[in-house]
Amino acid sequence: FITGKSKVTELAHSVWRSLVQKGDAVVDATCGNGHDTLALLKMVANGSGRGCVYGMDIQQSAIENTSLLLKESVNEDERELVKLFLVCHSKMETAIPKDTPIRLIVFNLGYLPGGDKTIITTSTTTLMALQAASHILHSEGLISMVVYVGHPGGREELQTVESFASSLPTESWVTCKFEVSNRPTGPVLVLIFKK
Ligand code: SAM
């Protein structure tokens, strides 16, 4: 039933939905066009001003696209639950208030669809972002990564993510991945759970 890129994203969303509760604080580490940010907002918004989505991207156009999508899709009260930052996700600790209990941190790697394909996530900053994410994630939280391997550097980035995930101690972490066996260039979903 999984036939393409969007389906892996849907699978990721259904994993998030099974974990995230109304009122949670979550992070979208690659806002892009805002689809994941919006999906996360719907999961955390509880109508009483609680819940928060911290979103970040290194491109002004991505922050603008995300703001626009939110404006078209939700009311002002809900939009206020989203805090957007023009910052590299390796610096996520500078954007998120210290000691915030973060339930979920999501990455959708690669380039901005419809944007400049040369502005892309890289192994070096992705690894730094994973290290930061593992520090700020609350226990019983999840880091979710959709990784694309069809572009130059994508396969190396997957290797970096996998080697980070497999290096985590089993006492505190459970990591797994989903890939489509007969579609070797399809996106891979890597899930990193903190016990
Ligand atoms: N989640 C998005 C959505 O729902 O539309 C799609 C994300 S897109 C595949 C990847 C995004 O990562 C791009 O917008 C790109 O600008 C951003 N990006 C690349 N390097 C980054 C970095 N170091 N820190 C934060 N964002 C980065």
Side-chain angles (χ1 to χ4, degrees):
F1 73 108
I2 303 278
T3 54
K5 163 170 150 177
S6 61
K7 295 293 166 63
V8 170
T9 311
E10 281 166 27
L11 177 66
H13 285 201
S14 64
V15 174
W16 307 348
R17 261 194 300 276
S18 70
L19 180 90
V20 172
Q21 292 166 14
K22 300 285 180 200
D24 278 348
V26 300
V27 177
D28 183 352
T30 52
C31 285
N33 289 322
H35 301 290
D36 291 329
T37 308
L38 177 61
L40 289 168
L41 175 60
K42 288 183 175 165
M43 291 177 211
V44 303
N46 67 357
S48 69
R50 288 181 62 242
C52 189
V53 183
Y54 297 96
M56 54 204 73
D57 204 289
I58 48 166
Q59 293 191 70
Q60 181 66 37
S61 56
I63 299 294
E64 284 165 10
N65 291 354
T66 299
S67 299
L68 192 64
L69 182 68
L70 294 173
K71 212 166 189 172
E72 288 166 357
S73 312
V74 295
N75 65 35
E76 200 177 338
D77 287 348
E78 288 190 339
R79 280 204 303 280
E80 279 179 6
L81 304 179
V82 180
K83 317 285 178 216
L84 295 175
F85 300 92
L86 182 63
V87 70
C88 173
H89 43 216
S90 63
K91 306 249 188 302
M92 66 174 76
E93 283 165 293
T94 62
I96 298 162
K98 207 172 173 297
D99 298 328
T100 307
I102 302 292
R103 172 84 67 183
L104 172 69
I105 302 172
V106 311
F107 295 79
N108 188 332
L109 299 177
Y111 50 81
L112 180 64
D116 183 344
K117 291 189 179 173
T118 64
I119 304 176
I120 194 158
T121 57
T122 65
S123 294
T124 309
T125 46
T126 297
L127 178 59
M128 289 164 71
L130 272 172
Q131 286 161 341
S134 67
H135 292 148
I136 64 170
L137 189 69
H138 200 251
S139 50
E140 300 187 357
L142 169 69
I143 301 169
S144 164
M145 312 205 69
V146 175
V147 191
Y148 300 92
V149 295
H151 61 271
R155 189 70 63 186
E156 292 71 27
E157 195 172 26
L158 176 62
Q159 274 165 8
T160 300
V161 170
E162 286 185 338
S163 95
F164 174 84
S166 53
S167 72
L168 292 167
T170 50
E171 306 79 58
S172 322
W173 297 89
V174 180
T175 71
C176 60
K177 71 171 170 176
F178 174 90
E179 62 190 348
V180 182
S181 309
N182 62 349
R183 191 167 174 253
T185 57
V188 178
L189 175 62
V190 179
L191 298 171
I192 304 175
F193 294 94
K194 193 173 198 172
K195 288 185 184 171

